[in-house]
Each structure stands twice: as C-alpha cells, then as structure tokens.
Amino acid sequence: MSPKIRELSVDGSAEEMRRLMTELYPICRSITGDGVRRTLEIIRQLVPLEVIEVPSGTPVFDWTVPNEWNIRDAYIKDPNGEKVVDFSDHNLHVVGYSVPVRQKLPLDELQEHLHSLPEQPELIPYRTSYYKEIWGFCLSHEQRGSLGAGEYEVVIDSSLESGQLTYGELVLPGESEEEILVSCHICHPSLANDNLSGLAVAAFLARALETAERRFTYRFLFIPGTIGSTTWLALNEKTAHRIRAGLVAANLGDPGCFHYKRSRQGDTEIDRAVQVVLRDTGEDHRVEDFVPFGYDERQYCSPGFDLAVGSLTRTPWGRYPEYHTSADNLELVTDDSLQSSLETYLEVVKILEQNRRFRNLNPKCEPQLGKRGLYGSLGGGTEGRDQQLARLWVLNLSDGEHTLLAIAERSRMSFARIAEAAAALLAAELLEVVE
Ligand code: ZN
C-alpha cells in the first residue's frame, strides 16, 4: 500500500543529493543545448521526467525561443603558444552563448572580451549573453593581470543555430486536479548552490512523493531561467490556473538561514504554509515580500497569471560572496543544509496535503473528551497539556471556516500537533470534513 504523504521521511538523503550534484557539476549547461539534455538524462535515472523540446523561433508571449547553443572547446593561447585559459579546466571560462571565434589579436583588443572580478581577484566570474551575439572569456583578475603584451590566439568552438529549448517536466497525479508546482532552473554551468542545489532538492522531493498517496497533483519543472518558465506558461496557458500553490527552488545548499519570498498575492495558502513550517522549526529565518526580480516566480507571478508561487531559498541570489563565481562550488554546499532544505520542502507539502476545514459536530459547549478516551490520555506534563490544548483549539475553531493552517497560526501550536489533534477528533466522530 502506498504511504501517506504525512508519513513520508527523507532521512539520510544528503549523501545521495551530493552524489547527484557531483555528477552534474562539471556539465556545461546553458538555457539550451546538450548540457541541459545530459542533465535531464541524469535526473531521469532518479525520477521518470518527460523531456520536452520546443523549436527555436517559437513565439512565447513577448519572447521567442532562442537558437540553441553548444560548445565543444575554447581556449586562449598566449604569445608563446601556451594555453593560458582553457574551457576544459572550467566551463565558467567562456561567456555563455558566445558566438564561435577563431582569431589572433593583440592583448589590448583581447581585453575588451575579458571579464574578471577586481574585488575577488582569485575567482572566475559567471557571465552570459543570451540575446546579444558576442564572445568573451572569464578569468581570475590575478591571471588577467599576469597577461603580457603580444599577440594572442583565441578559439571558441561553439555553435549557435536553430535547434530546441529543452526542459524536464514530471507530473505526479493526485486525487485532485489541483496542482502543487515545484520549479527550479537548470541553466547554469558549474555552479553548485545557484542551480544544482535547487535541482537536487526538487528531484529528491519528487522521488519521495512518487510512491505516496497524493491528494494533489504535483508538477515538477526543471527549466532554463526566465525563458523556460515563459515557454511553459505559453504552452500551458489554459491549464496553468490549476496550480493551487507553488515554490521556486534555488540556493538550498549554502549554510545560510532560510529565506521565504512571498507570492505576489502575499497571503495565499503557500505563503502561510511556508511561514508556519519555518516558525515550527524554531530556527532563524527571514520572510520577505514579493519583488518582481529574482527567479521564475517573476513569470508565475506576472499579473496575467498571478499564481500563488513563492520562493523558498537559503541565502537569496546575489547576497552571498560566492554567488555567480567559481567559488559557488560543491564545497559551498553542506550536507546539513541540503538535508534540512529537502525536509523543509517536504514539511510544506505535508501541510498542503493535510490542510482542510472541519466542522465540530458537538459545538454547544465542549464535548466530554474523557468518555471518548481523549482526555488526559498522556497524564500530566507539558506533552499531555499540549495535546489537550490542541484538541480544544481544533474543536473551538472548527466552524467550517478555519483551516487547520489557520488554527495552527492562531493557536501558535505546531501544525503537526494540530493535525494530529484533528485526526484523533475525526476518529472519535467529533468532526466532519468540510469539502
Ligand atoms: Zn544565477
């Protein structure tokens, strides 16, 4: 028999998540191309996602699916003929979507195509140019400073031609057509926290939910940032309203505390569920309002859709020094962070699955709990008292209006405690479900 979602456990997943990230880390991903395909193939070994390809040139609202970019090799040779920058050492060395080039040029001209970080001189920056046809290399500022005058040879063996935009989609049907969305971006090359951590949490959450009994339908999207969510929304415009709640998963492996960015609506079920989960952990966390900047929540929360989609991350994009540099590597990501990120996502799902309204069938004065074996069953102590109090809260607020989530908020008791109380009262026929 399939387990109930509320009974699921993801204990001990960190090691497997790290193994997945380690396998994916060296792949050169971008918003299109073979790196994305290979990435999706690897995730497919875990969960049966469908790979969807959308031809270049397809109009998607105000955008157009771009040409497909692939790269085989790239390097800079110094005046002595020595390779000083080599794509095969680190894929961040090439500006993403660089057009092919093969030429010799003096250092001062080469400089116009070089990118480095004077403030973080030992790191390689991450740069892309999707919609403007240029070429360029990224290198550490230290190395850049060591380049001597003379003629350099640059080679970028890439192609930018009509092809496909590729993304992965996994739908796990539930009793209800209403959907819970988990979306992550897969378009970054060798960057671990920004890109791979979100993808790992999404993949392992999907794997946990795959065999469970589901009330809702779950949709997981592994898509290139911005153009991927825009493309998905354009292709699924008619059914996107089925998304009842969603989260954009990113930056889930760094040691920072959780940050929740609310949906545009700000007070939907997902916003409240995440806040209760974070509250119940008792750990430091931040909750921030929606801003139309960030990851794919910008598209899901655009006014024409205005879906209840927030973003649950650890340190948000741009706020950690390793962000978009070669220091966003597998060492930045800790097993503890990955593990608790996955657990936190699962806790949110558990709330959504269990959140219902009930009606107290004995609303005139308190029912006598003792004769039903529901009073003082644990004897004294705070445990018994809390169990009791939770039952009284559920009875009191189950007027057909308050959800269990609302009761957890108002009582300041953990959602798990409130849900457990509701289950006991339902079994004792003191409650009925309000559909
Ligand atoms: Zn990024």
Side-chain angles (χ1 to χ4, degrees):
M1 221 181 74
S2 306
K4 303 245 188 283
I5 284 181
R6 66 167 189 272
E7 293 159 358
L8 290 180
S9 161
V10 287
D11 285 355
S13 300
E15 202 178 308
E16 280 183 287
M17 284 194 273
R18 179 172 291 279
R19 208 177 306 139
L20 173 68
M21 290 174 65
T22 305
E23 191 175 357
L24 296 174
Y25 181 75
I27 299 173
C28 185
R29 279 165 293 269
S30 187
I31 54 172
T32 62
D34 289 333
V36 173
R37 289 192 188 94
R38 218 167 324 138
T39 298
L40 295 174
E41 269 321 304
I42 292 168
I43 303 170
R44 266 187 87 164
Q45 293 164 12
L46 279 168
V47 283
L49 53 82
E50 195 186 338
V51 175
I52 289 136
E53 303 225 277
V54 184
S56 304
T58 304
V60 288
F61 299 122
D62 200 39
W63 298 63
T64 304
V65 172
N67 279 338
E68 180 178 327
W69 185 69
N70 283 293
I71 179 161
R72 289 156 290 276
D73 191 19
Y75 56 82
I76 302 174
K77 277 185 182 171
D78 71 6
N80 302 321
E82 219 165 292
K83 273 188 192 175
V84 286
V85 173
D86 192 344
F87 171 74
S88 61
D89 292 339
H90 206 304
N91 60 36
L92 291 182
H93 276 315
V94 174
V95 172
Y97 259 69
S98 280
V99 295
V101 63
R102 190 176 289 271
Q103 72 179 85
K104 290 189 172 170
L105 72 181
L107 181 61
D108 59 335
E109 278 178 40
L110 175 61
Q111 289 287 7
E112 292 165 24
H113 297 274
L114 298 184
H115 305 269
S116 61
L117 298 167
E119 321 263 272
Q120 294 170 295
E122 74 286 9
L123 305 182
I124 308 167
Y126 165 52
R127 294 278 183 276
T128 62
S129 180
Y130 303 133
Y131 302 102
K132 194 170 152 208
E133 295 206 349
I134 59 147
W135 63 268
F137 285 89
C138 300
L139 70 173
S140 73
H141 202 65
E142 278 168 1
Q143 190 187 10
R144 188 175 183 175
S146 72
L147 300 176
E151 193 166 62
Y152 285 76
E153 181 190 350
V154 295
V155 169
I156 297 179
D157 179 12
S158 64
S159 56
L160 186 55
E161 43 204 35
S162 185
Q164 310 286 329
L165 176 144
T166 311
Y167 66 86
E169 182 167 28
L170 173 68
V171 178
L172 302 174
E175 278 166 44
S176 164
E177 262 199 351
E178 283 190 287
E179 295 183 1
I180 312 297
L181 171 73
V182 176
S183 177
C184 61
H185 64 286
I186 52 158
C187 51
H188 290 23
S190 292
L191 294 167
N193 195 40
D194 179 10
N195 174 90
L196 294 183
S197 66
L199 187 160
V201 167
F204 280 86
L205 180 65
R207 197 182 66 167
L209 297 178
E210 197 191 345
T211 54
E213 201 177 289
R214 296 173 295 267
R215 175 179 167 200
F216 296 112
T217 294
Y218 288 80
R219 185 180 298 277
F220 289 84
L221 292 177
F222 298 85
I223 50 173
T226 307
I227 189 68
S229 47
T230 302
T231 299
W232 188 86
L233 286 165
L235 299 180
N236 297 276
E237 189 178 353
K238 296 278 181 299
T239 51
H241 66 269
R242 288 184 194 152
I243 295 171
R244 171 192 175 103
L247 288 174
V248 170
N251 299 320
L252 288 165
D254 69 273
C257 72
F258 283 113
H259 284 67
Y260 178 64
K261 174 180 167 181
R262 293 188 178 103
S263 70
R264 179 179 182 269
Q265 298 176 54
D267 195 29
T268 66
E269 186 183 31
I270 188 71
D271 298 305
R272 294 166 59 193
V274 174
Q275 288 176 83
V276 163
V277 167
L278 295 177
R279 180 200 72 178
D280 288 354
T281 65
E283 285 171 33
D284 191 25
H285 63 271
R286 310 257 184 288
V287 177
E288 301 180 352
D289 279 331
F290 176 79
V291 281
F293 213 43
Y295 295 110
D296 289 306
E297 66 277 10
R298 292 154 62 177
Q299 314 312 326
Y300 302 122
C301 294
S302 57
F305 289 100
D306 200 14
L307 297 172
V309 176
S311 179
L312 178 59
T313 66
R314 287 183 171 276
T315 310
W317 67 277
R319 292 194 222 166
Y320 51 98
E322 300 87 353
Y323 175 76
H324 279 192
T325 73
S326 52
D328 182 356
N329 57 33
L330 294 164
E331 280 160 42
L332 175 64
V333 170
T334 72
D335 284 7
D336 282 354
S337 291
L338 283 175
Q339 180 65 35
S340 81
S341 293
L342 177 59
E343 286 169 6
T344 303
Y345 268 72
L346 180 58
E347 286 307 313
V348 173
V349 166
K350 286 181 180 180
I351 290 192
L352 299 175
E353 284 279 321
Q354 296 179 85
N355 191 29
R356 291 182 188 275
R357 287 182 175 80
F358 294 91
R359 183 172 292 109
N360 180 347
L361 296 173
N362 190 106
K364 293 181 177 165
C365 299
E366 289 174 5
Q368 201 189 331
L369 295 177
K371 71 181 181 193
R372 296 175 174 89
L374 292 173
Y375 191 83
S377 54
L378 287 176
T382 52
E383 176 65 19
R385 195 199 69 102
D386 284 356
Q387 190 184 60
Q388 206 55 40
L389 184 56
R391 287 172 183 166
L392 294 174
W393 269 115
V394 172
L395 284 169
N396 189 281
L397 291 178
S398 287
D399 49 9
E401 295 300 320
H402 292 82
T403 61
L404 293 187
L405 186 55
I407 300 172
E409 288 170 334
R410 179 143 167 201
S411 67
R412 298 195 178 85
M413 302 190 84
S414 76
F415 185 87
R417 173 77 73 191
I418 293 297
E420 178 196 77
L425 295 167
L426 188 66
E429 296 177 348
L430 286 169
L431 295 181
E432 69 176 4
V433 177
V434 177
E435 289 304 343

